[in-house]
Amino acid sequence: MTNIYVRTAFNESFMYLFMPMILIGIVDLLNKNYKSFYIYFILGYIGIINSHLVLSVYFTFIVLIILLINYKKILKKENIKRLIISSILILILVMPSVIMMLEHKALNIYTVFDSNAMNASSINIKANGLSVFDYIQPEIRYGNNIYVFINIVVIIFCLMSVIYLVKYEKNKQTKQLVLSILVALIISMLFSYHKFPYQYIPKLLLSVQFGFRFVLFIGLFISIFASYGLNLITTKNEENIKNISIILCCLIVLPFINNTTFIKINDISYDYNQGMGWQKEYLTKYTSANIDYFNERDNKIKINTDEN
């Protein structure tokens, strides 16, 4: 919701459509549904690369961790072959857009490729990173109205997932997959952490700009992991677990109701002096240098003349 209505980051919102497809593809690979694997894995990767290239690199790192956790089934000759084939197909299919991007970067025309204008530095990423408490307090942390608060009920279901995973889950493959999601969630939270050592990250990956961007991954993995905990409440016939869950939800959620702030969209004053708003980063450098003309280009021009 924040990506769509506050940050207008539609490219990151589109990633929500494609990241689950990649995870479904991995599950299909483990279950030997190879045709389905190729469809979901390839389409998913084409989608995230064309949505947000830098975040797709970070997501690939997390995918590799998931694959390594399930190495006993993944590190087989036929599976490695299928991963290589799918990777080659992905590279071929995304090549037109990647080549165009590299051309624009080489020409150095657009503001988005200017590291100074984009403020792509480890210091900036850390300054816009998160602490553990940011996830559990329902308030705006940043001046640009970025919400990072995670629904308390979702957090409770995640705790239930840990209980379910340790105490009840007997299927080894399912247990390993859910453990993979938990590890992916922890890694995503580390990426967003304000003390993560970004000074050692390659310069190209610093264009992620903000630590809070990884809330995108956290939202995905915590939703999957929480749904696993919800399964504990809906399928197990233990009334004490259900009752405890309901009581916990009420006790934790109710105190926040009085602290919730609702903002009417008409009460917010906007400053349109930034050209395209936050999207001005995608203007050409020449346009950015003449932003006043860009802002007023639709208005009438008044020319003062000296009659003398």
Side-chain angles (χ1 to χ4, degrees):
M1 296 292 284
T2 295
N3 280 331
I4 296 174
Y5 296 110
V6 179
R7 297 186 60 228
T8 60
F10 298 116
N11 47 351
E12 292 169 43
S13 301
F14 287 144
M15 287 190 72
Y16 270 118
L17 299 174
F18 301 108
M19 289 188 297
M21 294 176 68
I22 296 172
L23 299 178
I24 292 171
I26 293 173
V27 173
D28 285 333
L29 181 63
L30 294 172
N31 292 329
K32 298 182 179 181
N33 299 323
Y34 299 126
K35 288 184 179 180
S36 182
F37 158 72
Y38 282 119
I39 293 171
Y40 283 111
F41 194 78
I42 293 173
L43 288 179
Y45 253 107
I46 292 172
I48 66 169
I49 290 172
N50 283 293
S51 296
H52 203 293
L53 182 60
V54 177
L55 282 178
S56 69
V57 175
Y58 282 98
F59 189 74
T60 299
F61 174 77
I62 295 175
V63 167
L64 289 173
I65 297 296
I66 294 173
L67 293 176
L68 287 174
I69 292 174
N70 298 275
Y71 72 95
K72 288 185 179 180
K73 283 202 168 186
I74 293 297
L75 295 182
K76 294 180 179 179
K77 186 177 180 180
E78 61 272 16
N79 285 341
I80 293 174
K81 181 181 177 181
R82 289 181 176 89
L83 285 169
I84 292 173
I85 291 172
S86 61
S87 299
I88 292 171
L89 288 172
I90 290 166
L91 289 174
I92 292 172
L93 292 170
V94 301
M95 196 60 70
S97 59
V98 171
I99 290 175
M100 184 180 297
M101 183 202 68
L102 293 174
E103 287 177 348
H104 289 161
K105 183 173 176 60
L107 292 170
N108 200 26
I109 295 174
Y110 292 94
T111 306
V112 70
F113 296 116
D114 186 344
S115 59
N116 294 322
M118 294 293 289
N119 200 9
S121 66
S122 60
I123 296 174
N124 186 65
I125 296 175
K126 288 184 175 184
N128 290 280
L130 307 173
S131 69
V132 176
F133 296 103
D134 291 323
Y135 299 113
I136 58 175
Q137 49 190 3
E139 58 186 42
I140 301 173
R141 171 180 166 83
Y142 303 100
N144 50 9
N145 295 342
I146 302 301
Y147 283 92
V148 296
F149 170 64
I150 296 174
N151 191 300
I152 296 296
V153 176
V154 174
I155 295 175
I156 293 172
F157 286 151
C158 282
L159 296 175
M160 292 294 176
S161 295
V162 176
I163 297 172
Y164 190 97
L165 188 65
V166 174
K167 190 174 180 179
Y168 295 104
E169 187 58 66
K170 304 300 180 184
N171 187 304
K172 289 185 178 180
Q173 181 174 324
T174 303
K175 196 168 188 174
Q176 207 161 10
L177 276 172
V178 177
L179 179 63
S180 304
I181 298 300
L182 177 60
V183 172
L185 173 60
I186 293 170
I187 292 172
S188 301
M189 296 184 79
L190 287 174
F191 278 150
S192 67
Y193 189 49
H194 67 282
K195 291 186 178 180
F196 188 80
Y198 277 102
Q199 61 269 28
Y200 304 112
I201 296 293
K203 188 176 180 181
L204 177 64
L205 297 180
L206 294 179
S207 56
V208 71
Q209 288 187 289
F210 314 116
F212 63 72
R213 265 205 168 111
F214 294 104
V215 172
L216 177 78
F217 297 163
I218 294 170
L220 171 68
F221 293 121
I222 203 171
S223 298
I224 298 172
F225 196 63
S227 64
Y228 183 75
L230 182 60
N231 184 59
L232 170 65
I233 300 172
T234 56
T235 61
K236 294 295 176 182
N237 295 320
E238 297 192 19
E239 289 298 324
N240 60 329
I241 294 177
K242 295 181 181 180
N243 294 333
I244 290 171
S245 302
I246 294 170
I247 292 170
L248 279 175
C249 290
C250 292
L251 289 176
I252 296 176
V253 173
L254 287 176
F256 290 109
I257 293 177
N258 292 331
N259 295 325
T260 305
T261 302
F262 297 94
I263 301 174
K264 292 183 179 179
I265 195 70
N266 295 330
D267 295 339
I268 302 175
S269 59
Y270 292 96
D271 181 7
Y272 293 103
N273 293 323
Q274 298 296 323
M276 299 193 315
W278 291 350
Q279 308 303 323
K280 69 182 185 300
E281 296 167 345
Y282 302 98
L283 295 171
T284 63
K285 288 184 177 181
Y286 180 82
T287 306
S288 296
N290 297 275
I291 196 69
D292 290 335
Y293 168 76
F294 181 81
N295 289 333
E296 305 296 332
R297 67 193 185 282
D298 291 330
N299 296 333
K300 296 180 178 179
I301 300 175
K302 183 179 179 181
I303 302 176
N304 292 323
T305 57
D306 188 353
E307 295 180 356
N308 296 326

